[in-house]
Amino acid sequence: MASTQLQKTFSSAGNRKTFTLSFWVKRTKLSTGMYAFNVGNQEANPQAGLEFQTNDTISFWNNSGSGGNKTFTTTQVFRDTSAWYHLVFSIDTTQATEANRVKLYVNGEQITSFSTATYPDQNYDYEWNGTQRHTIGAYYNNQSYFDGLLSHIHFVDGTAYTPSTFGSTDSTTGEWKINTSPTVTYGTNGFFILKDGNSVTDQSGNSNNFTVAGGT
């Protein structure tokens, strides 16, 4: 996707407190800052993003302006260019315990070690699932393109799922395997794109199709 970006702007906001992002990623370039996802139309807040940083960690951040910058940056690095990683971001800011409000999983295992972990307040509204432009594969201003492969991108509006919805451990090899057709309640703004190919047509039944806004 080195020069490609996909875009979608929702006509109305969904549930900005509770949602799930699940996708498979294979990196082809390291030590370079690049965005897999970005929410926003300009440099100024509010804005959100999911980026691979120059040290090959992952940063998941949201800045709503008055609500402050809520950032999670892994200590784990992702440098295996031969491997597919399955990432799940499960968000539910209605939870009373702050550690339950943001959960990140890689290949079915929860990540608990972060160099930065700024938990949102209870009932905090993320910019994700709002009416700002959602970009896949680049920063909003046609910079920091993602260099690699993305597949089976699920976004769920209103439910915080665990990885077991989207994958499982192979009983023979012990490897984390994809569930290509998970049972998911997507909600109004939910979508499922890049299923077994490069189609940006939503497979969730919601018709939340994306547009190829650059590249091929």
Side-chain angles (χ1 to χ4, degrees):
M1 293 185 71
S3 62
T4 301
Q5 59 178 304
L6 313 178
Q7 293 182 353
K8 171 73 177 178
T9 301
F10 297 107
S11 58
S12 60
N15 191 328
R16 293 165 56 197
K17 297 177 176 64
T18 306
F19 57 89
T20 306
L21 175 66
S22 168
F23 63 99
W24 290 75
V25 57
K26 185 176 184 180
R27 305 190 66 193
T28 57
K29 187 176 182 179
L30 303 179
S31 304
T32 303
M34 58 183 72
Y35 275 79
F37 299 88
N38 179 240
V39 180
N41 306 325
Q42 57 185 352
E43 185 69 34
N45 301 323
Q47 200 180 164
L50 196 164
E51 58 180 309
F52 287 88
Q53 299 193 309
T54 56
N55 62 357
D56 300 313
T57 60
I58 292 175
S59 182
F60 175 79
W61 60 270
N62 191 93
N63 198 329
S64 60
S66 61
N69 194 337
K70 311 303 180 184
T71 299
F72 290 82
T73 302
T74 64
T75 56
Q76 180 179 346
V77 295
F78 301 87
R79 292 175 175 155
D80 188 348
T81 55
S82 67
W84 283 93
Y85 297 102
H86 179 221
L87 274 63
V88 175
F89 293 80
S90 184
I91 310 300
D92 185 0
T93 68
T94 68
Q95 294 292 321
T97 302
E98 70 170 16
N100 292 331
R101 296 173 195 160
V102 178
K103 294 181 180 180
L104 164 59
Y105 302 87
V106 177
N107 295 340
E109 299 291 331
Q110 185 174 356
I111 300 298
T112 58
S113 178
F114 299 95
S115 61
T116 302
T118 311
Y119 284 93
D121 297 334
Q122 190 172 20
N123 295 316
Y124 175 87
D125 281 323
Y126 273 81
E127 296 307 313
W128 298 83
N129 210 11
T131 56
Q132 293 202 81
R133 185 177 68 207
H134 288 57
T135 300
I136 298 174
Y139 195 44
Y140 82 95
N141 58 357
N142 304 325
Q143 294 181 355
S144 301
Y145 283 102
F146 178 75
D147 208 325
L149 304 174
L150 296 170
S151 183
H152 285 74
I153 301 175
H154 299 267
F155 183 79
V156 179
D157 176 0
T159 305
Y161 283 104
T162 61
S164 60
T165 297
F166 307 99
S168 60
T169 301
D170 187 285
S171 59
T172 301
T173 66
E175 295 181 347
W176 186 253
K177 293 177 60 177
I178 191 170
N179 180 356
T180 58
S181 298
T183 300
V184 173
T185 301
Y186 284 95
T188 302
N189 286 348
F191 59 83
F192 176 17
I193 62 171
L194 302 185
K195 179 182 181 181
D196 300 325
N198 62 359
S199 174
V200 295
T201 301
D202 180 18
Q203 303 296 311
S204 75
N206 282 343
S207 298
N208 286 324
N209 304 326
F210 273 69
T211 299
V212 180
T216 57

